[in-house]
Amino acid sequence: MKVLLINGSPHEKECVWTALREVEKSLNEEDIDAEIFHIGTKPIAGCIDCGKCENGLCALDGIANTVKDKMAQSDGLIIGSPVYFAGANGSLIALLDRVFFSGRKSFIFKPAAAIVSARRAGTTAALDQINKYFLISQMPVVSSKYWNMVHGFNAEETKQDLEGMQVMRVLGKNMAWLLKCIEQAKKAGIEYPKPTEQNIMTNFIR
């Protein structure tokens, strides 16, 4: 089993990476493979609603398809972001819009979690923003012993957030537990819920 951890910070090995590494170590202790993918610093275009992703591929630059493929090949997902103006990094959100719009059918029932890093505040709003991608995609949201956040201005300060680092370790353990439960359920013949109704879309007009 494998979990994809997305580092949505422009700084490859700072606060968000420090938190993700703590989750990764906890996953590895439970014999779960993990990969940290850094989104980089190049500009990432947002979704333009071109309607050309019906084949599951985003028609814009390749990073969305790279991430979508990695997510499709993973059993679980953790997305990490710094907090900017009480929200997630704009580049990360642009990427997630495209990834989930074009490929969310591939992610149904895969456990997921969001983690955020802030110097001080805005964390819960950013968590809520990222969690919405999971909730609209039928992805079980993995919790920890507190909200999935760390505090610090740099990597060293983040390590000093002892409670936050513990939250990351517990998150890794909880993710591993849920993945193992799903694996055992499959072996026991318990299938994922199957849709029994046609999809209903209602547009609200005046």
Side-chain angles (χ1 to χ4, degrees):
M1 289 176 285
K2 180 180 178 180
V3 175
L4 175 66
L5 300 94
I6 296 177
N7 180 357
S9 171
H11 305 290
E12 184 174 5
K13 293 190 176 181
E14 275 291 347
C15 303
V16 174
W17 177 83
T18 301
L20 290 175
R21 278 285 292 141
E22 202 72 3
V23 179
E24 180 185 36
K25 287 184 283 187
S26 198
L27 287 167
N28 292 161
E29 289 172 0
E30 297 294 328
D31 297 320
I32 304 293
D33 292 332
E35 176 190 358
I36 298 178
F37 177 84
H38 182 226
I39 68 170
T41 57
K42 293 181 179 180
I44 299 176
C47 179
I48 59 173
D49 194 21
C50 64
K52 296 179 180 178
C53 61
E54 293 179 357
N55 61 355
L57 295 175
C58 179
L60 299 179
D61 56 82
I63 186 170
N65 295 321
T66 297
V67 171
K68 183 176 63 65
D69 289 344
K70 286 181 176 292
M71 287 173 59
Q73 295 166 15
S74 299
D75 303 291
L77 172 68
I78 296 177
I79 298 174
S81 177
V83 174
Y84 297 152
F85 295 96
N89 176 17
S91 295
L92 174 65
I93 294 302
L95 175 63
L96 295 179
D97 281 351
R98 290 164 52 201
V99 167
F100 277 83
F101 193 77
S102 63
R104 70 182 181 191
K105 291 181 180 179
S106 304
F107 317 142
I108 294 175
F109 302 126
K110 291 189 177 184
I115 72 165
V116 295
S117 167
R119 181 191 67 83
R120 187 170 179 85
T123 47
T124 53
L127 280 174
D128 181 60
Q129 183 182 16
I130 299 173
N131 279 332
K132 285 186 170 69
Y133 290 97
F134 312 143
L135 296 174
I136 200 173
S137 305
Q138 299 186 65
M139 301 173 74
V141 178
V142 182
S143 61
S144 184
K145 63 184 290 290
Y146 196 78
W147 292 291
N148 302 332
M149 61 181 73
V150 293
H151 291 85
F153 190 68
N154 54 42
E156 288 305 312
E157 288 187 3
T158 301
K159 292 176 184 177
Q160 295 174 42
D161 179 7
L162 300 183
E163 183 177 3
M165 297 301 278
Q166 184 181 64
V167 167
M168 296 301 115
R169 293 192 294 273
V170 173
L171 175 61
K173 297 289 185 182
N174 289 353
M175 171 67 82
W177 171 80
L178 185 52
L179 288 173
K180 291 176 182 179
C181 286
I182 292 172
E183 183 181 47
Q184 290 302 313
K186 289 178 180 177
K187 291 180 180 179
I190 301 173
E191 301 292 335
Y192 290 122
K194 295 180 180 179
T196 57
E197 300 181 28
Q198 289 186 337
N199 191 38
I200 298 174
M201 292 184 65
T202 303
N203 297 325
F204 293 92
I205 61 174
R206 302 179 79 177

